[in-house]
Amino acid sequence: MAWDEWEQLKSEAAERDSTRMQLNQLPPEAGGGPPPQGDLKVNQQDLAAIGNAAYRLYGDLEKVGDHARASTQKAAGTLKAETFALGGALDHVAARWIEQVRSLQDACAHISNHLDFTKGAHAGDEVYIATVVSNIETLDKGFNERSGN
C-alpha cells in the first residue's frame, strides 16, 4: 500500500465520525449490545482438565527450560574462555531465560493449585447445599405430618 493511499484512508475514516469508535462488538442497530446474562456454570471435568494441563506445562517447562539453560550456559562459558565478547551476552540471555521460565512455572503452578482449590471448594459447596436442601425436605415432611397432608 502506498503512503498516499494510507493517508487518504486515514482521512476518510476521520471524516466518517471518528468519535464513535467501537471495539469488539457490533453496533446496536446491527444486533449488538450487552452480552446475555445468566448463571455461572462450573464443570468439574473442565476445571480438572485445565488444572492438569497447567501441571503438565509446568513439568514440560522444567525439562525444556533446563535443557535450553544448560546448553546456553555451556556455549556462553566456551565463548568466554575463548575471549569472545558474545560469551558474556549469551550468559546474560541465559540468566534472563531462567527468570522467564521460572515466572511461567510459577504462573502454571498458581493456576493448577488454584483450580485444585476451586474444585475442592465447589465440592464442599455442593455438600453444603445438599445438606440444607435435605434438611428443608425433612422439615416439610414434619409440617405435612402435623397438618395431616
Side-chain angles (χ1 to χ4, degrees), residues 120-136:
H122 283 291
D125 291 344
E126 290 295 323
V127 169
Y128 173 75
I129 291 168
T131 302
V132 168
V133 169
S134 174
N135 290 340
I136 291 171

Side-chain angles (χ1 to χ4, degrees), residues 3-133:
W3 186 257
D4 293 335
E5 184 181 1
W6 172 247
E7 290 298 326
Q8 180 184 354
L9 290 171
K10 282 183 5 184
S11 65
E12 287 173 5
E15 290 171 6
R16 277 185 270 161
D17 190 14
S18 64
T19 60
R20 292 184 9 151
M21 182 186 304
Q22 295 178 348
L23 299 175
N24 296 330
Q25 68 182 27
L26 292 172
E29 60 271 6
Q37 300 296 313
D39 292 332
L40 174 64
K41 295 181 182 177
V42 177
N43 182 324
Q44 296 297 336
Q45 290 174 334
D46 291 341
L47 289 177
I50 293 168
N52 288 339
Y55 181 77
R56 283 192 312 273
L57 181 57
Y58 178 93
D60 291 347
L61 282 169
E62 189 170 37
K63 284 186 265 180
V64 174
D66 281 348
H67 176 72
R69 176 202 46 82
S71 300
T72 305
Q73 285 180 327
K74 182 178 176 183
T78 301
L79 288 169
K80 279 183 182 177
E82 297 295 324
T83 66
F84 284 101
L86 182 61
L90 196 53
D91 199 32
H92 177 77
V93 168
R96 295 299 166 261
W97 173 263
I98 292 167
E99 289 174 14
Q100 296 301 316
V101 168
R102 286 185 183 150
S103 284
L104 286 171
Q105 284 182 298
D106 288 347
C108 289
H110 181 75
I111 290 167
S112 178
N113 293 340
H114 182 72
L115 289 173
D116 284 345
F117 171 80
T118 301
K119 186 171 120 179
H122 283 291
D125 291 344
E126 290 295 323
V127 169
Y128 173 75
I129 291 168
T131 302
V132 168
V133 169

